[in-house]
């Protein structure tokens, strides 16, 4: 790949739904190329299909890209394809005037009746009929009868397409609106796009678009068709079947830095098997030619692990700030002074920011929200005896985590129990769960009075 500053790449999503993680991955690959070369990433919203587009989806795309951090000198836009309608229509007219396009009034069923095959492409029936514009007449591009179209692809070499096998495809519908193929080519040319990096599902369109570029007097871009993203069953990620919306992951508590890092690993790997890298290092190392052409597995467990690593790398003040939206949505009032004490403990435990509320709720609820399975597991004999002994041991204890641990260890030792077995009923009595923050630090923050009250209440519940 050239590293000339003249490189201009584009990300051109259609606003027809929530922003797909596959689209985000393509945007990041483009952004990395632009940042690395000193070039430009153009954001172009392909909004010409009014029946499917929504301003809500457009705003979602722009917000999602901003969340991922796309801005700065390499970023241009957003532009809207609908603003170029006059250019698209002019290009269609030029192609017809040059004899590179013709009008066709064939319906799909007409083609099937002539060919006997409903899956066969258009048979060129109207090529030489000399039809003019009129109701029900679409404009088709006249593909060459002979020769080949070679697509130079940075990942796939030089896929070669026989021109004779390419049908005369529609570039303008009967209502005059142009199709994706022509609009894309016109916009890429007018915006000076030099490299087109997109999903491999578009590879079959590349020879058609390249022919359009050439017919309109432009030099074809350099292509790079990146691999599809698949789920654990190796099926292509689907909006109907899989969680694919970037907004959903953000709402669940994934950090932008972690999501950006993970998406860059879908098809590409930095040297030395490293997985967690700062963005500037990724930009320096990324080479689109090194992207693997095999399908990339979207591993949610791995994404979650990487997110946990990023959470633990945050300064605690930043962690608190990232938790605020989740705390503000909690069904109880959070004392931020208390949360600031709990935050360093919670930061080592959560993999998603959304896990923060159930992790710390015990400190803010009037009484624990008992998990039934945790209660059943921990509150077996001799739970009541352990709680009674712990109450006695804690009444006059210096209230710090180390002493609280030592005293509970002594309670267990008197009964021939290890600390893990001894602390289980205490943890559930105080927090409502068997798993959570470090117990003794949590008790220190909760305070003597509330700790003893909760142990007494749990013991009463056991013996009633």
């Amino acid at each position: 790949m050239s590293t000339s500053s003249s490189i201009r790449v584009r990300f051109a999503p259609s606003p027809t739904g929530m922003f797909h993680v596959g689209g985000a991955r393509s945007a990041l690959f483009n952004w990395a190329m632009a940042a690395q070369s000193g070039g430009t990433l153009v954001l172009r919203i392909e909004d010409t299909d009014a029946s499917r587009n929504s301003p809500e989806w457009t705003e979602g795309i722009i917000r999602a890209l901003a969340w991922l951090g796309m801005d700065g000198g390499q970023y241009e836009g957003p532009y809207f394809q609908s603003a170029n309608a006059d250019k698209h229509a002019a290009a269609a007219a030029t192609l017809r005037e040059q004899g590179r396009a013709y009008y066709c009034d064939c319906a799909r069923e007409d083609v099937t009746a002539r060919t006997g095959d409903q899956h066969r492409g258009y048979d060129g029936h109207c090529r030489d009929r000399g039809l003019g514009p009129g109701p029900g007449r679409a404009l088709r591009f006249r593909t060459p009868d002979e020769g080949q179209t070679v697509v130079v692809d940075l990942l796939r070499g030089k896929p070669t397409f026989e021109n004779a096998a390419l049908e005369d495809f529609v570039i303008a519908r009967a209502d005059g609106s142009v199709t994706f193929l022509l609009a894309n080519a016109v916009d890429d040319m007018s915006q000076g796009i030099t490299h087109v990096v997109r999903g491999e599902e578009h590879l079959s369109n590349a020879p058609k678009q390249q022919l359009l570029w050439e017919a309109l007097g432009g030099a074809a871009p350099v292509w790079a068709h990146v691999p599809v993203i698949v789920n654990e069953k190796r099926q292509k990620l689907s909006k109907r079947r899989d969680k694919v919306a970037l907004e959903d992951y953000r709402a669940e508590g994934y950090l932008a830095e972690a999501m950006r890092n993970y998406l860059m690993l879908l098809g590409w790997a930095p040297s030395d098997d490293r997985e967690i890298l700062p963005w500037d290092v990724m930009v320096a190392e990324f080479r689109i030619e090194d992207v693997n052409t095999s399908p990339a597995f979207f591993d949610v467990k791995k994404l979650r692990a990487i997110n946990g690593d990023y959470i633990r790398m945050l300064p605690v003040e930043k962690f608190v700030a990232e938790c605020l939206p989740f705390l503000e949505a909690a069904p109880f009032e959070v004392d931020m002074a208390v949360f600031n004490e709990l935050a360093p403990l919670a930061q080592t435990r959560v993999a998603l920011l959304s896990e923060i509320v159930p992790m710390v709720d015990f400190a803010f609820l009037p009484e624990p929200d008992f998990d039934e399975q945790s209660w059943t597991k921990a509150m077996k004999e001799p739970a009541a005896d352990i709680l009674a002994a712990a109450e006695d041991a804690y009444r006059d204890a210096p209230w710090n985590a180390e002493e609280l641990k030592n005293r509970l260890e002594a309670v267990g030792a008197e009964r021939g129990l290890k600390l893990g077995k001894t602390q289980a009923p205490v943890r559930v009595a105080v927090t409502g769960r068997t798993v959570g923050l470090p117990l003794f630090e949590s008790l220190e923050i909760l305070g003597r009075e509330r700790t003893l009250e909760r142990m007494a209440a749990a013991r009463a519940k056991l013996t009633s």
Side-chain angles (χ1 to χ4, degrees), residues 235-254:
Q235 301 167 319
K236 182 180 177 181
L237 283 187
S238 165
K239 291 181 180 181
R240 294 184 300 275
R241 182 181 55 238
D242 306 299
K243 186 171 75 172
V244 300
L246 194 69
E247 293 93 329
D248 288 345
Y249 287 98
R250 181 181 183 182
E252 198 173 346
Y254 285 91

Side-chain angles (χ1 to χ4, degrees), residues 416-433:
L417 300 174
K418 294 183 178 179
L419 180 60
K421 181 76 171 178
T422 311
Q423 72 178 12
V426 174
R427 177 184 289 281
V428 172
V430 174
T431 72
R433 298 173 179 84

